[in-house]
Amino acid sequence: MSDLLWQKDGVQVDARIMRFMAGEDVVLDREFFLCDIRASKAHVEGLERIGVVNTGDAAAMLSELDVLAEDFRAGRFVLDATYEDGHSAIEARLTDRLGDAGRRVHTGRSRNDQVLVATRLWLKDRLAELAWTGITIADICLDRAAEPSLPMPGYTHLQRAVVSSTAMWFAGFSEAFIDNAQRAHQTFDLLDANPLGTAAGYGVNLPLDREHTTQKLGFSRMQVSPIYAQLSRGKLEIAALEALGSAMLDLRRLAWDLSLFTTAEFNFVSLPSAYTTGSSIMPNKRNPDVVELLRASYATVAASRSEIEQLLSLPSGYQRDLQFSKAALVRGFTHGLQALSLLPDLLTRLAWNAPAMRAAIEPAMYATDAAVEQAAKGVPFREAYRVAAQAAAAAGQGRTPEQSLSARTSPGGSAHPGLEVLHARLKVLKDTLPQYRPPA
Ligand code: ARG
């Protein structure tokens, strides 16, 4: 292992204990390494601006940090157990290449604010990706809601209830993912605060240029209180996983629908063959494994959130327990975003089986229409309900799904779906969301 940043003369380090403390941490730091380098550059610039590091040393550190980022991307620099963590690796590299200039990088900062700022930058990217994925899903659902609509049964309690349609199904998930994108955006705003410069959690005896690092790193504001900066570790990770979780919750219900709708009993939907697999023993099977794993993905994200929550039974100030939040955070976001990223193509290509859906609409499903019609003519609703209930099937005779759907004039109903309202909300989101380009 490279020299420990905190090593003191004559103090023995036990390898087994070190392994326990470092654990998978240094490998997880690969995820955050480029963010850590970016923040280190901003910190060096800030030190130069207040005259604590001279221009020559600052320039040398900045260019060496760029080289390190390049080497890391290209696989020439490997972050592994040679280092205690990613933070140590940055300082070790600068010291190795630049000598005393490199030894100045940690002036006025602590690994406690270093890990905070790197995680914050990483999470902002993930939330922007989450928001844009939500927008893409909502867009596709809105397009498909505008296609010629096919009648299908609407269920409550999984019992046939009233006539519904593919357009209503798509409009519903479109609005859900607009909400999810908005929630990601709101959470992005909550996290958009720079903790760099709060040092170990109590500030430092230097007039650090926190305005500069805030602006340089693209944060919209400074996280002012050093005490709060430490209190926010884990708390904001939970907020981010909740935003992700709300999208996963809708994904889970959508996947549930698809797994039901693809059974022979329903037979409403067929999935593109890439989304199904064969059975190892039953030659007749095509299984919807992908939608089942999409449904199960909620558990991974919810568990990550819960794992971090369990860690936060802590007093204020930095505690090493917080290190364990990283594995859960990375697992939750990596898995959740990967699951959501499959949805646009799946939704674009899923095909409805119109005859099977129509055949599943039975006359009794018009009974609500019949009761409401009578009530609109002045019959007290409870009386109209009683009459329709007595002869539910008869009440539906001669009616068609199309009639039922075109009479559904309540705003948001099939005759008045209000897609323009959803388009308008999407536009506002697109105009205000921070840009996100997935790394190539
Ligand atoms: N790996 C540590 C973490 O994630 C980095 C901060 C270490 N700070 C410390 N004071 N030991 O929390």
Side-chain angles (χ1 to χ4, degrees), residues 86-408:
H87 321 303
S88 315
I90 291 176
E91 187 168 333
R93 166 77 168 230
L94 292 181
T95 302
D96 191 39
R97 296 278 171 102
L98 307 174
D100 275 350
R103 286 188 190 93
R104 296 186 200 286
V105 67
H106 213 58
T107 315
R109 81 170 174 186
S110 155
R111 284 183 292 169
N112 300 354
D113 63 338
Q114 204 178 345
V115 63
L116 272 176
V117 68
T119 312
R120 201 69 55 89
L121 291 169
W122 184 90
L123 260 182
K124 280 180 62 182
D125 278 351
R126 303 284 87 68
L127 284 167
E129 184 178 348
L130 174 63
W132 283 105
T133 305
I135 284 177
T136 306
I137 294 167
D139 255 332
I140 289 166
C141 287
L142 270 182
D143 284 350
R144 295 217 60 183
E147 289 172 1
S149 182
L150 304 169
M152 69 191 285
Y155 297 88
T156 71
H157 312 265
L158 271 181
Q159 308 292 318
R160 289 173 180 170
V162 294
V163 179
S164 182
S165 70
T166 54
M168 288 191 80
W169 190 88
F170 274 123
F173 283 104
S174 161
E175 191 167 4
F177 279 93
I178 293 171
D179 270 8
N180 295 333
Q182 185 170 328
R183 178 122 182 235
H185 190 186
Q186 287 163 345
T187 310
F188 181 101
D189 287 344
L190 183 70
L191 262 74
D192 197 8
N194 179 22
L196 179 62
T198 56
Y202 297 93
V204 72
N205 47 344
L206 284 174
L208 294 176
D209 192 343
R210 297 195 65 203
E211 292 295 350
H212 175 75
T213 60
T214 299
Q215 175 258 316
K216 179 78 188 178
L217 292 172
F219 285 106
S220 71
R221 64 185 191 283
M222 200 193 288
Q223 195 172 15
V224 180
S225 157
I227 303 272
Y228 181 55
Q230 289 304 321
L231 288 173
S232 71
R233 182 140 184 227
K235 175 186 171 187
L236 295 186
E237 282 85 334
I238 287 177
L241 284 162
E242 278 171 352
L244 175 62
S246 97
M248 302 306 290
L249 210 54
D250 289 315
L251 173 61
R252 180 165 70 172
R253 299 188 76 175
L254 187 150
W256 239 126
D257 273 4
L258 296 182
S259 80
L260 277 178
F261 292 170
T262 51
T263 58
E265 284 70 15
F266 279 82
N267 191 24
F268 291 174
V269 161
S270 55
L271 297 173
S273 57
Y275 291 88
T276 63
T277 60
S279 158
S280 62
I281 179 170
M282 298 168 281
N284 55 319
K285 296 292 300 290
R286 287 307 290 178
N287 299 322
D289 294 34
V290 179
V291 294
E292 290 166 346
L293 291 174
L294 292 178
R295 184 170 60 195
S297 297
Y298 180 79
T300 307
V301 172
S304 302
R305 181 215 178 280
S306 159
E307 189 175 338
I308 295 176
E309 193 184 11
Q310 297 304 319
L311 290 172
L312 289 186
S313 176
L314 296 172
S316 67
Y318 177 82
Q319 322 289 333
R320 188 70 179 263
D321 312 47
L322 294 164
Q323 171 172 296
F324 279 2
S325 61
K326 278 193 289 194
L329 183 67
V330 171
R331 183 175 0 95
F333 262 92
T334 305
H335 189 82
L337 287 173
Q338 190 189 15
L340 288 166
S341 76
L342 294 182
L343 209 47
D345 180 63
L346 175 62
L347 289 170
T348 305
R349 291 164 59 203
L350 75 82
W352 300 103
N353 181 353
M357 294 192 294
R358 186 175 287 270
I361 296 170
E362 55 193 25
M365 294 173 75
Y366 301 102
T368 307
D369 288 348
V372 174
E373 274 164 20
Q374 290 306 309
K377 288 182 188 149
V379 179
F381 178 75
R382 201 43 64 207
E383 175 63 13
Y385 173 97
R386 199 184 52 75
V387 172
Q390 269 168 3
Q397 289 309 327
R399 293 174 185 259
T400 66
E402 283 75 10
Q403 279 168 352
S404 177
L405 290 167
S406 64
R408 206 82 55 77

